[in-house]
């Protein structure tokens, strides 16, 4: 059984920072790209960042480049999203996701439970 367990998030002021972590079980990063999507109320799901199984590189949405950093954690099968200089537009439910052909547009095979990020202006 595949599980993507997310932790972190919460409330931050604009300009502040938060961290999200995702621990995957039942898959390996060798076989699956892994990253984060988000969805704000009334909006569609948006790819935020992912680590590609194809090239090992990290890819970011233009809206978060230079502010968010996605990296593999010290623990096995864990990734961490460091979110800096948060903006009110970053407020959303964030989902850890994995897929063999996943990219920012989609291609999700597995989606974890969402974790809330709230940014106060």
């Amino acid at each position: 059984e595949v599980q993507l367990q997310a932790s972190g998030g919460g409330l931050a002021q604009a300009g502040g920072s938060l961290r999200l972590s995702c621990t995957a079980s039942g898959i390996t990063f060798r076989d699956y790209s892994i990253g984060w999507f988000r969805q704000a109320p009334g909006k569609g799901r948006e790819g935020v960042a992912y680590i590609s199984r194809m090239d090992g590189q990290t890819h970011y949405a233009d809206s978060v480049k230079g502010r968010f950093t996605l990296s593999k954690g010290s623990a096995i099968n864990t990734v961490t999203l460091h979110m800096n200089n948060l903006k009110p537009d970053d407020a959303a439910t964030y989902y850890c996701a994995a897929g063999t052909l996943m990219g920012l547009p989609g291609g999700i095979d597995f989606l974890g439970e969402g974790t809330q990020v709230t940014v106060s202006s």
Side-chain angles (χ1 to χ4, degrees):
E1 180 187 6
V2 176
Q3 288 189 333
L4 301 174
Q5 184 65 47
S7 62
L11 172 66
Q13 290 186 331
S17 300
L18 287 172
R19 182 177 65 186
L20 302 178
S21 291
C22 176
T23 299
S25 59
I27 61 170
T28 67
F29 293 172
R30 180 184 66 247
D31 299 324
Y32 286 84
S33 297
I34 187 158
W36 293 88
F37 285 72
R38 67 186 181 186
Q39 187 165 17
K43 295 186 177 181
R45 191 163 58 199
E46 174 190 16
V48 177
Y50 74 101
I51 299 174
S52 172
R53 72 173 183 93
M54 298 291 192
D55 58 14
Q57 300 299 307
T58 306
H59 302 266
Y60 297 94
D62 287 343
S63 58
V64 306
K65 278 180 182 176
R67 300 187 299 118
F68 289 13
T69 302
L70 178 64
S71 59
K72 293 181 181 179
S74 56
I76 294 174
N77 275 12
T78 298
V79 293
T80 299
L81 182 68
H82 295 271
M83 303 182 293
N84 298 316
N85 191 21
L86 284 161
K87 303 177 180 180
D89 284 348
D90 294 320
T93 301
Y94 283 69
Y95 298 89
C96 183
T100 57
L101 299 175
M102 192 176 78
L104 291 177
I108 299 170
D109 293 326
F110 303 102
L111 193 68
E113 296 289 329
T115 186
Q116 189 66 36
V117 170
T118 303
V119 183
S120 62
S121 57

